[in-house]
Amino acid sequence: MAATATTARPTDLMGLSEAEYDRAVAILGRTPNRTELGIFSVMWSEHCSYKSSKKWLKTLPTKAPWVICGPGENAGVIDIGDGQAAIFKIESHNHPSFIEPYQGAATGVGGILRDVFTMGARPIANLNALRFGDPAHPKTRHLVAGVVAGIGGYGNCVGVPTVGGETNFHASYNGNCLVNAMTVGIADAKRIFYSAAAGPGNPVVYVGAKTGRDGIHGATMASAEFDDKSEEKRPTVQVGDPFTEKLLIEACLELMATDVIVAIQDMGAAGLTSSSVEMAGKGGLGIELDLDRVPTRETGMTAYEIMLSESQERMLMVLKPGREDVAMKIFAKYELDCAVIGRVTTTGKLVLRKNGAVQAELPVEPIATQAPEYDRPWTAAAKRPVLAAADAPVRDPGVALKALMASPDLASRRWIWEQYDHLVRGHTVQRPGGDAAIVRLPDSRKGLALVVDCTPRYCHADPETGGAQAVVETWRNLTAVGARPLAITDNMNFGNPERPEIMGQFVGAIAGMRAACLALDYPVVSGNVSLYNETNGQAILPAPVIGGVGLVDDVAQTVDLAFKQAGDAIILIGKTEGWLGASLYLRELCGREPVSAQIWAPPPVDLAAERRNGDCVRSLIRDGRINACHDLSDGGLLVALAEMALTGDLGFEVAAPASDVLAHAFLFGEDQGRYLTTAADSAVALAACRAAGVPALVLGRVATGGQLTLDGRPLISLEGLRAVHEGWLPAYMAGK
């Protein structure tokens, strides 16, 4: 029996509510000691148990013929043919990155890498989605510098290319930046490794780096909102070592090539606690651990510290009996610790021993599966009025384009992605800066297209529309390079779910995501929920970030967004109504911030049109009918044209067609479901669109001379636009 220090309720419930503490006592039939209370605390934290979100996450579509493993494991798995599987997931490290940006971001990358290679995959690509506060805020530059350096420092050293991502700025993130990291790996579809413990008596083996005191109660910290004392939480931030991670990847993959492993689990949030409890819980078994055998790097560590440490680069395995020596030899070769620290049992209990005494004895099943599940009160977001284009101020198109392209949300991110090694391993086909990255599969013509995306201002204005739009935006991004979208992973970043309006945002976003995933046959296979992203009651703009993965049958038959040759016709595919509500034009040019008292409805998402238009575009790319493609999103048509011109270093000559849509709305409206394409023979492309029932029209042609011309009037030179577009972020980071 575990020692019990007191029968009274402790003053520090370690993040549990009083009701949750009472529930733990009822499960145990006695008062928990400090170690046991710590285990309940981290396992029942929002970060580990999803207690506020589980009810709604269950409504997302997660199955398709190509899905091998959906949510519930370390990462999602999809079949990509030829006996191969793609394994991927996205996860947040928001709170740690705000407190200590370099290590917070670095260990976010390390953690998501482990989630993927734990399942038997070799990581082939990293992506990230970053959101920072107002550039004028005194902490923003420090956070940008630290987070970018942390991502680059870890990813570059571990040898996995960072091939894509997004970065945005908004004042709602002043007190709580978002750092979402995604990893994609490739595995043999017949050799996927899972985490459920099996085989009573089988040895439980610890591998990787030694355990220290860093990151203790990191999961609990990530499940609470910030206040003015957030800096005091610095000790809960983990410290990473990418060189150890690289060795761990190679050692694990080498061991996986044998027949030794029964189950394997990353020691992520909640460290040894979550890995042991989850493995035993999924297997319906128990685990006994001798904590004196756990490799430590600090003296005098207690059972509480060992179990709750979130030291990085560690894994827990169940091995076949008598095969421990195989693991020992492999990990010794890579100079990593490998220690038998326990065994699988039939008791259904987690039993911890140290110094010859039982330090904790807990039933596994209720800890793993009976965490509180809340149906929190929620209020639906108010329906916003539609902004008539005539009520939006008219700005000179050239002046507006220059201002938008130099704005924090649209300025070039080259300063960021040039700090990442996006070419390591030599398989990157399309680099950062386009609609989606493409990574060729080794020894194959096939490739994976990868992207992350979200538009928080849409989600704030209408969570359901915003959730749907985040999904279809990634679907369009993948389509625009010629990939067949297969599945998504999601990172749900929201404020305090105990506030009905915030919970309403979450519920609405899930509803929109569900509708879009069903309409597009684009299931959710993994994900992460990050709540309590607020400081002193000020919540972030909701950000349901979507990571999309698509398959390319032949990387030679893909396109990018760059204009290719002068004289090509520029074709707009999709319907334009001139939707300016919640647009960047409205915010950046008209000073109408979408979190002000007047919030306008974002552009609607027509899922049937999205499917129809996207399928048509992919067929045009597959048949070689178009030679460039770019989806329309932030900033609308004129911004998309400018981005294609800058990437291809060619100008354009276009004219707004005669229609009922006002000129400024046609140029800067953010209507969904649209693509810009170029073709040497426009007639063939237009005929294909007509046959598919897809709206399409020729706007003009690609031009030489580096001039951007609208309706016969020069807007701005290409070089002039490049200077402001490329110049903002480097100047900002230099403090100019």
Side-chain angles (χ1 to χ4, degrees):
M1 175 67 68
T4 304
T6 178
T7 58
R9 175 177 288 164
T11 55
D12 179 10
L13 298 185
M14 300 186 189
L16 295 175
S17 68
E18 291 188 0
E20 290 168 347
Y21 174 81
D22 291 340
R23 182 173 186 162
V25 171
I27 287 170
L28 281 181
R30 57 178 172 80
T31 302
N33 64 29
R34 186 168 186 266
T35 300
E36 293 168 335
L37 180 59
I39 290 171
F40 271 106
S41 170
V42 293
M43 291 305 298
W44 287 5
S45 68
E46 195 74 59
H47 189 78
C48 292
S49 74
Y50 296 87
K51 57 192 175 186
S52 296
S53 57
K54 246 187 292 192
K55 169 185 169 69
W56 303 103
L57 295 175
K58 292 174 184 176
T59 67
L60 291 171
T62 60
K63 296 179 180 180
W66 52 90
V67 174
I68 296 173
C69 177
E73 271 293 340
N74 287 291
V77 187
I78 58 173
D79 190 334
I80 56 173
D82 302 315
Q84 293 178 306
I87 301 180
F88 59 97
K89 186 182 179 183
I90 191 169
E91 197 161 61
S92 61
H93 235 219
N94 303 337
H95 288 66
S97 298
F98 184 79
I99 295 169
E100 212 302 298
Y102 185 95
Q103 290 296 346
T107 52
V109 173
I112 198 63
L113 281 165
R114 289 193 298 280
D115 279 339
V116 168
F117 74 76
T118 294
M119 299 195 70
R122 176 170 291 282
I124 63 166
N126 290 329
L127 300 92
N128 53 75
L130 313 177
R131 284 177 171 80
F132 301 103
D134 185 341
H137 190 274
K139 195 166 183 175
T140 299
R141 187 181 292 110
H142 162 73
L143 290 172
V144 174
V147 166
V148 170
I151 291 170
Y154 205 99
N156 295 353
C157 293
V158 85
V160 177
T162 300
V163 299
E166 60 168 352
T167 304
N168 295 116
F169 297 86
H170 191 274
S172 73
Y173 305 106
N174 283 348
N176 199 129
C177 64
L178 301 185
V179 176
N180 296 172
M182 177 177 170
T183 293
V184 183
I186 299 298
D188 183 334
K190 295 181 179 179
R191 289 188 62 79
I192 308 299
F193 290 81
Y194 298 98
S195 58
N202 282 350
V204 176
V205 179
Y206 171 117
V207 301
K210 288 179 168 57
T211 295
R213 291 188 170 95
D214 52 317
I216 293 175
H217 263 299
T220 307
M221 179 268 291
S223 305
E225 65 180 84
F226 283 156
D227 55 28
D228 293 330
K229 297 182 179 180
S230 295
E231 293 292 337
E232 297 174 6
K233 298 179 180 179
R234 190 177 299 271
T236 62
V237 177
Q238 310 92 329
V239 177
D241 179 352
F243 299 106
T244 298
E245 181 100 339
K246 173 61 174 173
L247 296 174
L248 186 61
I249 292 173
E250 300 305 327
C252 286
L253 292 178
E254 187 170 329
L255 186 62
M256 287 168 171
T258 71
D259 64 348
V260 169
I261 298 174
V262 175
I264 181 170
Q265 176 71 42
D266 162 42
M267 290 192 215
L272 188 52
T273 290
S274 64
S275 55
S276 58
V277 170
E278 289 174 8
M279 291 177 82
K282 289 176 181 177
L285 295 166
I287 282 186
E288 291 186 0
L289 301 179
D290 183 349
L291 300 185
D292 289 320
R293 297 183 180 182
V294 173
T296 59
R297 64 169 183 260
E298 299 183 49
T299 59
M301 291 188 70
T302 65
Y304 173 89
E305 291 172 328
I306 291 171
M307 291 303 294
L308 271 65
S309 167
E310 293 185 10
S311 294
Q312 299 291 285
E313 295 88 39
R314 304 178 301 157
M315 313 284 277
L316 194 65
M317 301 179 179
V318 175
L319 302 183
K320 292 182 178 179
R323 306 304 303 277
E324 298 92 330
D325 61 323
V326 177
M328 296 284 185
K329 289 178 182 177
I330 290 174
F331 281 87
K333 181 175 71 173
Y334 289 97
E335 299 182 339
L336 295 171
D337 281 293
C338 180
V340 177
I341 65 168
R343 65 187 181 93
V344 179
T345 70
T346 59
T347 65
K349 293 182 178 180
L350 173 68
V351 179
L352 308 176
R353 290 184 171 86
K354 194 173 192 305
N355 300 325
V358 173
Q359 303 293 322
E361 184 173 350
L362 300 163
V364 169
E365 193 273 337
I367 298 175
T369 67
Q370 293 183 29
E373 183 173 332
Y374 295 122
D375 184 3
R376 296 199 183 276
W378 59 278
T379 56
K383 287 299 178 185
R384 312 300 184 184
V386 174
L387 175 68
D391 293 334
V394 177
R395 300 289 185 254
D396 176 89
V399 173
L401 177 62
K402 182 176 179 181
L404 284 170
M405 294 296 283
S407 68
D409 270 8
L410 288 179
S412 170
R413 303 307 190 231
R414 184 182 300 276
W415 181 91
I416 293 175
W417 55 258
E418 283 190 342
Q419 297 186 51
Y420 305 151
D421 189 338
H422 45 272
L423 297 175
V424 64
R425 304 188 66 83
H427 298 304
T428 305
V429 176
Q430 287 201 27
R431 308 179 185 188
D435 285 301
I438 299 178
V439 178
R440 183 176 57 81
L441 303 184
D443 304 315
S444 173
R445 298 179 67 86
K446 295 195 309 183
L448 290 180
L450 314 169
V451 68
V452 290
D453 225 319
C454 182
T455 311
R457 65 182 185 278
Y458 292 173
C459 299
H460 177 75
D462 186 321
E464 186 168 349
T465 298
Q469 192 274 340
V471 172
V472 300
E473 173 79 0
T474 65
W475 199 80
R476 286 199 303 268
N477 291 148
L478 298 173
T479 293
V481 299
R484 184 168 72 255
L486 292 179
I488 68 171
T489 180
D490 60 67
N491 207 139
M492 308 294 288
N493 306 275
F494 290 79
N496 185 343
E498 298 168 48
R499 296 166 55 193
E501 68 274 19
I502 300 297
M503 198 66 218
Q505 292 176 346
F506 186 90
V507 172
I510 289 286
M513 290 165 55
R514 169 183 164 79
C517 290
L518 288 171
L520 302 175
D521 292 325
Y522 196 33
V524 181
V525 298
S526 61
N528 172 250
V529 176
S530 177
L531 302 177
Y532 296 96
N533 288 290
E534 56 183 79
T535 299
N536 294 327
Q538 297 297 310
I540 62 166
L541 289 188
V545 173
I546 305 298
V549 174
L551 182 64
V552 174
D553 294 324
D554 185 345
V555 296
Q557 294 179 339
T558 59
V559 299
D560 60 20
L561 58 81
F563 284 156
K564 299 299 185 297
Q565 58 189 12
D568 280 356
I570 299 173
I571 305 169
L572 172 62
I573 294 176
K575 186 178 181 181
T576 299
E577 294 182 342
W579 198 281
L580 289 172
S583 67
L584 282 183
Y585 176 89
L586 200 66
R587 189 181 82 188
E588 299 293 330
L589 277 301
C590 308
R592 298 194 183 179
E593 167 59 46
V595 294
S596 63
Q598 180 59 71
I599 302 174
W600 302 103
V605 175
D606 183 334
L607 294 171
E610 290 281 0
R611 182 68 182 258
R612 188 166 54 248
N613 295 359
D615 289 348
C616 178
V617 167
R618 275 197 310 282
S619 69
L620 290 171
I621 295 172
R622 181 194 62 227
D623 295 341
R625 303 301 187 186
I626 56 178
N627 53 31
C629 185
H630 188 22
D631 93 298
L632 272 71
S633 55
D634 290 345
L637 172 66
L638 203 53
V639 164
L641 281 166
E643 289 170 341
M644 297 178 81
L646 288 169
T647 308
D649 201 27
L650 288 166
F652 60 74
E653 296 173 357
V654 298
S659 73
D660 294 334
V661 180
L662 296 177
H664 66 305
F666 183 83
L667 296 173
F668 299 107
E670 296 181 7
D671 303 83
Q672 300 295 291
R674 299 184 299 161
Y675 302 81
L676 269 178
T677 65
T678 62
D681 185 346
S682 62
V684 174
L686 291 173
C689 290
R690 281 195 301 272
V694 171
L697 62 97
V698 174
L699 295 176
R701 66 184 184 90
V702 179
T704 56
Q707 188 65 50
L708 311 184
T709 303
L710 172 66
D711 295 330
R713 172 195 166 198
L715 289 172
I716 186 174
S717 71
L718 197 58
E719 288 312 304
L721 188 62
R722 191 184 307 279
V724 297
H725 181 58
E726 298 275 0
W728 181 81
L729 190 53
Y732 171 70
M733 295 308 298
K736 298 179 181 177

